[in-house]
Amino acid sequence: MTETNHDSEHDGTERSFVKKKTIAAGTAGTAAIGATAAAQETNADEVLVFSYDYFPGGSFEVISELQQNTVVDMLVVGGETVDEISQPDEWSGYVIRYDMENDEAAGVTTFLFTRSEDLSVDDSESLGEDAQMFSPALNLLAADLD
């Protein structure tokens, strides 16, 4: 009889533990969804660049606009969307070339992505001095246009 009572008490404790873990997991999931929504909300003049091709304050020229299917392909990993970009078809992509004189970035050609900036071929812009990690899975930084 004592053994049965002990088992019954243990079951209650285990159930309580599982219930607490479930609540914690639900809360963490809600926080992750909030973080993803926050990541999707970029500033009006914020753009994304690959971290290895980010040159703070770098002046660049827009060489061409990427086709939409190419942009989508570049903003997914293994055919799946990343947490930070749930709808890659909302983004525009551009080929840019840095045109800074006497600088290691001069002539570097890379890609830039934006949701709200409307860039055209031959536009000249500059990246802001500060950037932050936007998507570790894609190795993309978020920076402002100056």
Side-chain angles (χ1 to χ4, degrees):
M1 187 92 166
T2 306
E3 191 174 316
T4 306
N5 287 342
H6 177 70
D7 287 343
S8 177
E9 288 174 15
H10 178 70
D11 287 346
T13 303
E14 188 174 313
R15 231 176 286 137
S16 175
F17 176 75
V18 169
K19 189 184 275 186
K20 288 178 184 174
K21 292 287 266 184
T22 302
I23 291 170
T27 303
T30 302
I33 290 169
T36 299
Q40 291 271 342
E41 295 176 16
T42 55
N43 297 333
D45 59 349
E46 191 171 64
V47 296
L48 305 179
V49 294
F50 290 107
S51 65
Y52 47 81
D53 285 330
Y54 169 66
F55 295 95
S59 298
F60 63 87
E61 181 180 348
V62 177
I63 304 302
S64 67
E65 185 169 358
L66 297 172
Q67 292 182 357
Q68 190 61 45
N69 62 339
T70 301
V71 173
V72 171
D73 288 346
M74 293 177 75
L75 296 179
V76 298
V77 176
E80 299 292 324
T81 60
V82 296
D83 291 340
E84 300 84 3
I85 303 176
S86 62
Q87 294 185 307
D89 59 340
E90 291 182 350
W91 292 80
S92 297
Y94 303 91
V95 176
I96 64 168
R97 181 176 302 127
Y98 286 100
D99 57 5
M100 301 177 300
E101 293 180 21
N102 300 322
D103 192 271
E104 71 213 43
V108 171
T109 303
T110 189
F111 304 101
L112 178 136
F113 304 95
T114 180
R115 283 179 73 182
S116 56
E117 279 293 313
D118 189 22
L119 300 174
S120 300
V121 173
D122 295 330
D123 281 355
S124 292
E125 297 284 344
S126 295
L127 290 175
E129 294 286 333
D130 297 320
Q132 58 190 2
M133 181 54 70
F134 181 83
S135 175
L138 293 169
N139 198 21
L140 287 172
L141 297 176
D144 289 334
L145 292 179
D146 284 341

